[in-house]
Amino acid sequence: MRPAPSNEHVADIYEFKLAPTAKVPRAAGTGKLALVWSPFTIAVSADGHLIYDVEITVTSLPDPSRLGPYQTYVVWVASPNLDRVERIGTITPSGALRARLTNWNKFLVLVTAEAHPDTERRTGPVLLQGRSPSGLMASFQSHELFSNIPH
């Protein structure tokens, strides 16, 4: 995993928090993105999306069986409107997961409890959730608040 730029303020834009849901209020998590190196500076997919290495770290999740009929925790990446959800791997209650993300400019990260570690479809409860830094960028120009302001 190639590190994000060393400038402290720039590195902050590559990190995001995973917030707990009511089921696990003491749990916490973080996500760290690193741009993938290429001979042309940064790597992009054939569709023009940035390619990231992501590291998801979680702490203080209970044993999954304490939450119900669950064996494991699974990390998912999803589009902001949840029309696309993909499994990126399993994670221990206080562990880390590294994965490569392609074709995801704006995304959510979800950590769920699941009955089987090899599940390909999210069915369990969401315990931690976070939004990619790029997911926070949006244009509010069309919002009704700004409709009467001259451009």
CSV table of all heavy atoms in Angstrom, one decimal, residues 135-147 149 151:
chain,number,residue,atom,x,y,z
A,135,GLY,N,-17.3,11.5,-1.1
A,135,GLY,CA,-18.7,11.5,-0.9
A,135,GLY,C,-19.3,12.7,-0.2
A,135,GLY,O,-20.5,13.0,-0.2
A,136,LEU,N,-18.4,13.5,0.5
A,136,LEU,CA,-18.8,14.7,1.1
A,136,LEU,C,-18.9,15.9,0.2
A,136,LEU,O,-19.5,16.9,0.5
A,136,LEU,CB,-17.9,15.1,2.3
A,136,LEU,CG,-17.7,14.0,3.4
A,136,LEU,CD1,-16.7,14.4,4.3
A,136,LEU,CD2,-19.1,13.8,4.1
A,137,MET,N,-18.4,15.7,-1.0
A,137,MET,CA,-18.4,16.8,-2.0
A,137,MET,C,-19.7,16.8,-2.8
A,137,MET,O,-20.1,15.7,-3.3
A,137,MET,CB,-17.2,16.7,-3.0
A,137,MET,CG,-15.9,16.9,-2.3
A,137,MET,SD,-14.5,17.0,-3.4
A,137,MET,CE,-14.6,15.4,-4.2
A,138,ALA,N,-20.4,17.9,-2.8
A,138,ALA,CA,-21.7,17.9,-3.6
A,138,ALA,C,-21.9,19.4,-4.0
A,138,ALA,O,-21.5,20.3,-3.3
A,138,ALA,CB,-22.8,17.4,-2.7
A,139,SER,N,-22.6,19.6,-5.1
A,139,SER,CA,-23.0,20.9,-5.5
A,139,SER,C,-24.3,21.2,-5.0
A,139,SER,O,-25.3,20.5,-5.1
A,139,SER,CB,-23.0,21.0,-7.0
A,139,SER,OG,-23.5,22.2,-7.4
A,140,PHE,N,-24.4,22.3,-4.3
A,140,PHE,CA,-25.7,22.8,-3.7
A,140,PHE,C,-26.3,23.9,-4.5
A,140,PHE,O,-27.2,24.5,-4.1
A,140,PHE,CB,-25.5,23.2,-2.3
A,140,PHE,CG,-25.2,22.0,-1.4
A,140,PHE,CD1,-23.9,21.9,-1.0
A,140,PHE,CD2,-26.1,21.1,-1.0
A,140,PHE,CE1,-23.5,20.8,-0.2
A,140,PHE,CE2,-25.7,20.0,-0.2
A,140,PHE,CZ,-24.4,19.8,0.2
A,141,GLN,N,-25.7,24.2,-5.7
A,141,GLN,CA,-26.2,25.3,-6.5
A,141,GLN,C,-27.7,25.1,-6.9
A,141,GLN,O,-28.4,26.1,-7.0
A,141,GLN,CB,-25.4,25.3,-7.8
A,141,GLN,CG,-25.7,26.5,-8.7
A,141,GLN,CD,-24.8,26.6,-9.9
A,141,GLN,OE1,-24.0,25.7,-10.1
A,141,GLN,NE2,-24.9,27.7,-10.6
A,142,SER,N,-28.2,23.9,-7.0
A,142,SER,CA,-29.6,23.8,-7.4
A,142,SER,C,-30.5,23.7,-6.2
A,142,SER,O,-31.7,23.6,-6.4
A,142,SER,CB,-29.7,22.5,-8.2
A,142,SER,OG,-29.4,21.4,-7.5
A,143,HIS,N,-30.0,23.8,-5.0
A,143,HIS,CA,-30.8,23.7,-3.8
A,143,HIS,C,-31.7,25.0,-3.7
A,143,HIS,O,-31.2,26.1,-4.1
A,143,HIS,CB,-29.9,23.6,-2.5
A,143,HIS,CG,-30.6,23.4,-1.3
A,143,HIS,ND1,-31.3,24.3,-0.6
A,143,HIS,CD2,-30.8,22.2,-0.6
A,143,HIS,CE1,-31.9,23.8,0.5
A,143,HIS,NE2,-31.6,22.5,0.5
A,144,GLU,N,-32.9,24.8,-3.2
A,144,GLU,CA,-33.8,26.0,-3.2
A,144,GLU,C,-33.3,27.1,-2.4
A,144,GLU,O,-33.7,28.3,-2.6
A,144,GLU,CB,-35.2,25.5,-2.6
A,144,GLU,CG,-35.1,25.1,-1.1
A,144,GLU,CD,-36.4,24.5,-0.6
A,144,GLU,OE1,-37.1,23.7,-1.4
A,144,GLU,OE2,-36.7,24.8,0.5
A,145,LEU,N,-32.4,26.9,-1.4
A,145,LEU,CA,-31.9,28.0,-0.6
A,145,LEU,C,-31.1,29.0,-1.5
A,145,LEU,O,-31.1,30.2,-1.2
A,145,LEU,CB,-30.9,27.4,0.4
A,145,LEU,CG,-30.2,28.4,1.3
A,145,LEU,CD1,-31.1,29.2,2.2
A,145,LEU,CD2,-29.2,27.7,2.2
A,146,PHE,N,-30.5,28.5,-2.6
A,146,PHE,CA,-29.7,29.3,-3.4
A,146,PHE,C,-30.4,29.7,-4.7
A,146,PHE,O,-29.8,30.4,-5.6
A,146,PHE,CB,-28.4,28.6,-3.8
A,146,PHE,CG,-27.6,28.2,-2.6
A,146,PHE,CD1,-27.5,26.9,-2.2
A,146,PHE,CD2,-26.9,29.2,-1.9
A,146,PHE,CE1,-26.8,26.5,-1.1
A,146,PHE,CE2,-26.2,28.8,-0.8
A,146,PHE,CZ,-26.1,27.5,-0.3
A,147,SER,N,-31.7,29.4,-4.9
A,147,SER,CA,-32.3,29.6,-6.2
A,147,SER,C,-32.6,31.1,-6.5
A,147,SER,O,-32.7,31.5,-7.6
A,147,SER,CB,-33.7,28.9,-6.2
A,147,SER,OG,-34.5,29.4,-5.2
A,149,ILE,N,-30.4,33.6,-5.6
A,149,ILE,CA,-29.2,34.3,-5.5
A,149,ILE,C,-28.6,34.5,-6.9
A,149,ILE,O,-28.5,33.5,-7.7
A,149,ILE,CB,-28.1,33.6,-4.6
A,149,ILE,CG1,-28.7,33.5,-3.2
A,149,ILE,CG2,-26.8,34.3,-4.7
A,149,ILE,CD1,-27.8,32.7,-2.3
A,151,HIS,N,-26.2,34.6,-10.0
A,151,HIS,CA,-24.9,33.9,-10.2
A,151,HIS,C,-23.9,34.7,-10.9
A,151,HIS,O,-24.1,35.5,-11.7
A,151,HIS,CB,-25.2,32.6,-11.0
A,151,HIS,CG,-26.1,31.7,-10.3
A,151,HIS,ND1,-25.6,30.7,-9.4
A,151,HIS,CD2,-27.4,31.5,-10.3
A,151,HIS,CE1,-26.6,30.0,-9.0
A,151,HIS,NE2,-27.7,30.5,-9.5
